[in-house]
Amino acid sequence: VALQAGETPAIQGKTLAGAPFDLAALRGKVVLVLFWSTDCAVCRDKMPELRANAQGWRGKPFELVTISVDRRLQDAADYEKLVAAMVPPSQRFPALWSGDPAYKNSSLRPAQLPAAWLLDKSGKLVESYSGRIPAEAWDKIADLL
């Protein structure tokens, strides 16, 4: 089932760092959920920009969550190792792998990558994006905060 505006997605699992994750625990925050894979060049190229934009909301009720849809855990894990070595802890965010047996998502995987869901503080879908995240998305986040 594709997610529609106003619906509340449910995502649970564990992060690549091994921590338990439940999207519902982020209620009270504006959340941008990004679906991507390491073999998607646009996805990889946009990560530094996403980190920089997310940094702009530090101290605000905002969370960026990434979900790797890589076929192999090793690809997602290798990328996370690179991030751990090169990116300061303050610029990291929860990262999940959709192939993990603990991963559960109430909605369909997006057909095109990158893709993102913007959720309001109540956890409801406000907008979804397919392809690059448009600049207007950051304006929308500002409005929701």
Side-chain angles (χ1 to χ4, degrees):
V1 177
L3 197 60
Q4 302 297 316
E7 291 184 343
T8 306
I11 297 175
Q12 295 175 314
K14 62 181 188 186
T15 66
L16 287 166
F21 179 86
D22 187 348
L23 187 60
L26 296 179
R27 297 239 169 92
K29 292 184 177 188
V30 175
V31 180
L32 185 65
V33 180
L34 177 76
F35 295 88
W36 77 292
S37 81
T38 57
D39 61 4
C40 163
V42 171
C43 301
R44 286 191 320 272
D45 292 349
K46 286 293 168 187
M47 283 298 184
E49 180 184 318
L50 277 174
R51 283 182 207 291
N53 287 345
Q55 276 297 101
W57 305 121
R58 279 197 59 207
K60 299 254 193 304
F62 174 76
E63 188 80 54
L64 175 62
V65 176
T66 63
I67 299 176
S68 164
V69 296
D70 281 305
R71 287 181 191 83
R72 296 173 346 127
L73 170 60
Q74 193 61 51
D75 295 332
D78 287 349
Y79 182 84
E80 276 306 300
K81 278 188 200 132
L82 200 65
V83 167
M86 301 181 74
V87 177
S90 67
Q91 292 181 28
R92 295 185 211 148
F93 31 76
L96 290 83
W97 178 55
S98 65
D100 189 301
Y103 177 80
K104 299 198 180 9
N105 181 344
S106 63
S107 187
L108 284 180
R109 172 193 154 160
Q112 180 189 352
L113 297 177
W117 296 339
L118 178 58
L119 310 177
D120 67 15
K121 290 179 181 177
S122 69
K124 291 185 181 354
L125 180 72
V126 176
E127 294 180 339
S128 56
Y129 310 104
S130 192
R132 294 173 192 262
I133 295 171
E136 305 82 65
W138 300 100
D139 295 337
K140 189 72 176 173
I141 289 167
D143 293 344
L144 293 169
L145 288 171

